[in-house]
Amino acid sequence: FSAVYSFDGILVFGLLFICTCAYLKKVPRLNSWLLSEKKGVWGVFYKAAVIGTRLHIAVAISCLAMAFYVVFLK
């Protein structure tokens, strides 16, 4: 429970959220259902998917760096 309030826990959650939304954007049925709204609360999913697809190299490197940190350094 305390990992949610740590900075690295928030980073892990954000990276996983961006990666998940980018993956869901590739699934046609989920894309039309979950990512159709571009504004409001549901727009967060769309914006995370756009970040994940446009910055896919930076997100992938960040995921690898965070995985290395969690497994070996923490």
Side-chain angles (χ1 to χ4, degrees), residues 7-41:
F7 183 68
D8 55 345
I10 292 171
L11 284 178
V12 168
F13 175 76
L15 284 171
L16 289 176
F17 184 72
I18 289 172
C19 292
T20 303
C21 289
Y23 174 76
L24 291 178
K25 191 173 183 177
K26 302 292 182 186
V27 180
R29 186 169 289 187
L30 292 176
N31 186 12
S32 63
W33 176 68
L34 186 64
L35 302 173
S36 61
E37 292 291 326
K38 296 181 182 179
K39 294 181 180 178
V41 176

Side-chain angles (χ1 to χ4, degrees), residues 39-57:
K39 294 181 180 178
V41 176
W42 291 103
V44 174
F45 294 104
Y46 173 79
K47 291 174 185 174
V50 169
I51 291 170
T53 53
R54 290 187 184 170
L55 300 174
H56 61 278
I57 294 174

